[in-house]
Structure formats: structure tokens, C-alpha cells
Amino acid sequence: MKVGLVQVFSCPEDAVRKLAAEVAELIRSRASQGFMTVLGLATGNTPLPFYRELIRLHREEGLSFETVATFNLDEYLGLDRDHPESYWTFMHRNLFDHLDVSPENIHLPSGRLRDEEIEAHCAAYERAIREAGGIDFQLLGIGRTGHIGFNEPGSSKSSRTRRIHLDPITREDAASSFGGLDHVPTHAITMGCGTILEARRIVLLAWGGHKAAIVKEAVEGTVNDQVSASFLQEHPNACFYLDRGAAEALD
Ligand code: F6R
């Protein structure tokens, strides 16, 4: 395993404290030089303690997000922005509504697209990331299929933002929050692996023993398109921040 690829913490709170301090320092130092900071963000249960820590830094330590632009990894297709399970709703409820980030600097793929609009929408998302100067810091979780974003098995290392068919395991994992499998969308828009890997710094978070097997494949397995998180092994500045549970299967 590459030196520095994995850091193990005794609990998620310790991991997110360290990570939020790194991101705060990045935002402050870029702001002092007159630059925006571009954050790539994830949804799901994993980033919640990280978002709580960012909100605390904003409230208690005056960390401003006025110089921050955000790009989320993905959005379910077929959901309006104000759907309770849309990632737009998730991000506003759990992060953006509590910070001073400008609404015009917040970007998520749209979940409401006609088939003929998808290609142009994805190309525009890629263009917006490029025009913002690229992603300075990318936050990731990992799905049971090994996905980062919604790059399900078979996604190539060079894939770009596009429509993806969600793996049955991913839909199963989302079933309880949607009130049953039948309500879980079948497709999503996701940044590609290639889009993600262009970020200058990447940290993947994983907590709990239920993530241990897939984390092991991503960290110690061969790099391959059946586990898109394994591509991080080849990134010059990517790291897995794990709690003890998620790290328990590692050699
Ligand atoms: C979410 C995303 C996904 C999740 C992954 C883990 O924007 O891109 O890759 O990070 O499915 O989800 P949780 O954190 O709920 O286990």
C-alpha cells in the first residue's frame, strides 16, 4: 500500500476535526491571496459529521464561505430540487443553509432533465468546474459497490459527468430513506471518475465495519473499474480517512 494512502482514527469525530481544519486552512490561505476555493462535495450519511464541524467552524471560529464555490458529485434523476430526498435538499438542509456561501456559487447536477437535455447539461457541468479553476478539494464517500460519486462497477477511469444506471445494491441501500425500493430512482447524473480524479486533493471518508470489505478492495485490491474507489490509489494526493471499524479488514 502506498505510504500515506490511509489514515485510521479512533472515531469519525477525530477524523473530521482534522479534515475540517485542513479545509479551513485551504479556504483562508486562498482567500488571503484573493482566490476562491472550489470544493467538491458528497451526500449520504458519511459526510454528516464533517458538515457539522464546518458549520461549527463557521459559527464559532468565524470561518467564512464567501470565497467558496461548491460542486456536488451527483443527483438522482427524476427528482425535483425540492423533493425531500433530492441531493439539493440534503445539501441545503445539512450544510448550505447554515453557512454564508453565496447561492450562485453552489452547483449540483439537475435531477429534472429530459433525455435530450442530458448530454448538454453534463457538458455544461464539466465546463463550469473548469471555468471555476478545477476542484481544489474533493470529498468522497464509498458505496457498497465501491462507487465514488455514482460511478458504479464498469465506470472507466476517464469517465466524465453523465447519466448512470444505479446498481441494484445502491438502490437497495437507498430504499429505506425513500420509503421502499420502488420509490428509489433508477438513474442519476454523476461526475465521472476522470472528473473526480482531476481534483488536486481528494479525501474519502468511511465509517463502520459494514464498509470494511469494500474499503479493503479499494485500498489493497488491484486498481480496476469494478471498484471505482481503487482509482484513488493512483492519485498523487488522495487519502482514505477511516475509523477503526472501516479499517478492520486491512492487512
Ligand atoms: C453521494 C455519493 C456516494 C456516497 C456513497 C456512500 O453523493 O456520491 O458515493 O458517498 O454511496 O453513502 P453513505 O455515506 O450514505 O454510506
Side-chain angles (χ1 to χ4, degrees):
M1 190 200 302
K2 205 168 84 181
V3 176
L5 183 65
V6 171
Q7 290 202 36
V8 183
F9 297 83
S10 53
C11 60
E13 287 66 33
D14 285 356
V16 301
R17 215 173 297 120
K18 174 158 185 208
L19 187 59
E22 176 188 328
V23 171
E25 171 54 27
L26 178 71
I27 294 171
R28 287 194 173 112
S29 82
R30 288 184 64 81
S32 73
Q33 299 163 55
F35 295 122
M36 296 287 288
T37 302
V38 181
L39 303 181
L41 298 177
T43 56
N45 290 320
T46 308
L48 289 173
F50 176 67
Y51 293 158
R52 283 195 290 272
E53 178 63 6
L54 290 183
I55 294 165
R56 191 195 69 74
L57 288 174
H58 172 62
R59 286 192 181 145
E60 295 176 16
E61 298 185 20
L63 177 65
S64 173
F65 289 76
E66 283 177 343
T67 60
V68 169
T70 66
F71 288 87
N72 265 81
L73 286 163
D74 38 25
E75 179 61 282
Y76 290 112
L77 260 179
L79 302 190
D80 290 321
R81 274 184 176 182
D82 60 1
H83 187 286
E85 291 306 322
S86 79
Y87 284 165
W88 175 273
T89 299
F90 176 98
M91 288 306 299
H92 284 77
R93 189 195 309 132
N94 292 299
L95 188 65
F96 300 145
D97 288 351
H98 311 281
L99 303 178
D100 59 347
V101 58
S102 301
E104 67 268 23
N105 290 333
I106 293 171
H107 306 86
L108 285 95
S110 172
R112 241 330 149 206
L113 295 168
R114 290 194 304 274
D115 283 359
E116 62 272 24
E117 295 171 326
I118 289 176
E119 204 179 314
H121 182 77
C122 294
Y125 203 68
E126 291 273 339
R127 201 162 48 244
I129 294 172
R130 268 198 313 279
E131 285 172 1
I135 294 172
D136 294 301
F137 171 84
Q138 176 67 57
L139 180 73
L140 298 174
I142 183 169
R144 273 203 296 153
T145 60
H147 67 212
I148 50 175
F150 274 140
N151 290 285
E152 301 290 19
S155 298
S156 82
K157 192 179 174 190
S158 58
S159 53
R160 310 304 305 188
T161 303
R162 66 203 188 287
R163 171 171 44 189
I164 187 102
H165 184 243
L166 295 172
D167 191 277
I169 294 175
T170 300
R171 292 188 64 239
E172 198 181 290
D173 285 346
S176 66
S177 38
F178 276 90
L181 188 59
D182 292 349
H183 302 291
V184 182
T186 54
H187 291 80
I189 302 289
T190 183
M191 275 188 203
C193 296
T195 323
I196 293 168
L197 292 167
E198 281 169 11
R200 289 179 275 279
R201 165 83 167 141
I202 303 178
V203 176
L204 184 151
L205 305 177
W207 324 130
H210 64 296
K211 295 282 172 91
I214 194 65
V215 163
K216 183 178 175 65
E217 279 193 59
V219 170
E220 294 177 349
T222 52
V223 176
N224 76 96
D225 69 7
Q226 296 306 300
V227 178
S228 62
S230 69
F231 294 138
L232 298 182
Q233 293 180 34
E234 296 177 340
H235 188 279
N237 196 16
C239 191
F240 288 73
Y241 276 24
L242 310 174
D243 71 353
R244 290 205 183 112
E248 74 195 4
L250 297 181
D251 286 340

